[in-house]
Amino acid sequence: MDQFASVFGKKDQAIMLDCRSMKHVYIPLKLDGYKLLLLNTNVKHALADSAYNKRRAQCEQGVAWVKEHYPNVNTLRDVDLGMLEAHVKPKDEEVFAKCSFVVKEIGRLLTAAEQLEKGNLQGLGNLMFETHEGLSKDYEVSCKELDFLVEAVKPLDYVLGARMMGGGFGGCTINIVKEEKIEGLIEALSSKYLLQFGLKLDSYTVQTENGTSLFN
């Protein structure tokens, strides 16, 4: 997905990519006085590889149990929550939690695209907070530093949404922040983060741009 965005990115557009068909559509990303702010925990992704191998195995197990009753099911894209409740939850609560997060997240993605089409940044931000909650509590790929940064901005009316990004267990959060509040937010969070974890908090304001192109 990173490489896809690097090649096919467009300025002021989000990409909705179907990783099964590779079909993609562009959706306007109108920030209107807000900016995208990345906050880097400076925690390395030490557990990401082994943890993601386990998550993948759990999701594949959930699909296999559902497939016993619905032969046309091949991935969690083909599954709904009712199927998981009936055929996965009774067998393994942890596998159910991981699979249900993925199914819910697919739904959130589609809703997020609708909110962007309407220009509803607040709606998108709310979904970001929901996604982080699921990544932290259900899929269990967050860490205390990421959770701290997301929880710290939740009460702030000038931050519309925040969530971890990337592989988890470290890395960055992505935030939608009112432009004139960014400097003060970074200053306040940096001191709190240093006090809490003894780590420096790095920050980057970013924007969507055109992808790779050929210059003559």
Side-chain angles (χ1 to χ4, degrees):
M1 289 185 286
D2 293 348
Q3 292 87 343
F4 193 97
S6 294
V7 174
F8 294 103
K10 285 189 178 180
K11 184 176 175 60
D12 299 327
Q13 303 280 319
I15 304 172
M16 184 165 68
L17 171 64
D18 185 328
C19 292
R20 175 184 280 175
S21 67
M22 300 307 290
K23 178 182 176 182
H24 64 287
V25 296
Y26 294 100
I27 304 171
L29 182 61
K30 299 174 182 175
L31 293 174
D32 296 329
Y34 287 83
K35 288 275 193 182
L36 297 176
L37 174 67
L38 307 189
L39 297 173
N40 185 2
T41 63
N42 282 308
V43 174
K44 296 188 182 300
H45 305 266
L47 302 175
D49 289 344
S50 60
Y52 265 96
N53 288 337
K54 181 179 180 182
R55 301 300 181 277
R56 180 176 182 133
Q58 289 170 320
C59 289
E60 288 173 347
Q61 179 63 77
V63 169
W65 283 333
V66 173
K67 192 176 179 67
E68 291 173 2
H69 304 273
Y70 298 89
N72 291 331
V73 163
N74 293 307
T75 72
L76 288 172
R77 281 276 296 276
D78 308 316
V79 172
D80 61 37
L81 290 175
M83 295 175 183
L84 296 176
E85 289 275 359
H87 306 297
V88 176
K89 190 173 184 180
K91 293 178 181 289
D92 192 307
E93 288 276 357
E94 188 176 352
V95 171
F96 170 75
K98 303 302 179 281
C99 291
S100 61
F101 166 76
V102 174
V103 171
K104 289 175 183 176
E105 185 64 9
I106 291 169
R108 274 192 289 267
L109 170 68
L110 298 174
T111 304
E114 293 171 2
Q115 297 302 321
L116 276 179
E117 291 280 10
K118 297 173 183 175
N120 183 3
L121 277 182
Q122 183 67 70
L124 174 65
N126 291 340
L127 291 165
M128 290 170 66
F129 282 128
E130 286 181 24
T131 288
H132 185 82
E133 182 74 9
L135 286 165
S136 178
K137 301 298 190 295
D138 297 326
Y139 211 60
E140 297 181 285
V141 291
S142 187
C143 63
K144 62 183 183 296
E145 294 86 358
L146 288 166
D147 291 345
F148 175 87
L149 292 175
V150 172
E151 289 301 317
V153 300
K154 259 187 184 177
L156 306 176
D157 59 5
Y158 55 85
V159 179
L160 298 185
R163 54 161 288 183
M164 57 160 275
M165 58 186 296
F169 304 104
C172 294
T173 64
I174 182 168
N175 307 260
I176 305 176
V177 186
K178 190 174 278 292
E179 188 170 358
E180 64 267 24
K181 297 287 190 177
I182 288 176
E183 187 175 340
L185 175 64
I186 292 170
E187 185 178 342
L189 272 184
S190 294
S191 59
K192 290 178 181 177
Y193 188 74
L194 181 63
L195 185 64
Q196 181 76 14
F197 299 107
L199 290 170
K200 182 177 182 288
L201 183 67
D202 289 326
S203 58
Y204 315 89
T205 54
V206 297
Q207 59 193 35
T208 53
E209 290 288 349
N210 293 327
T212 304
S213 58
L214 179 64
F215 286 87
N216 293 323

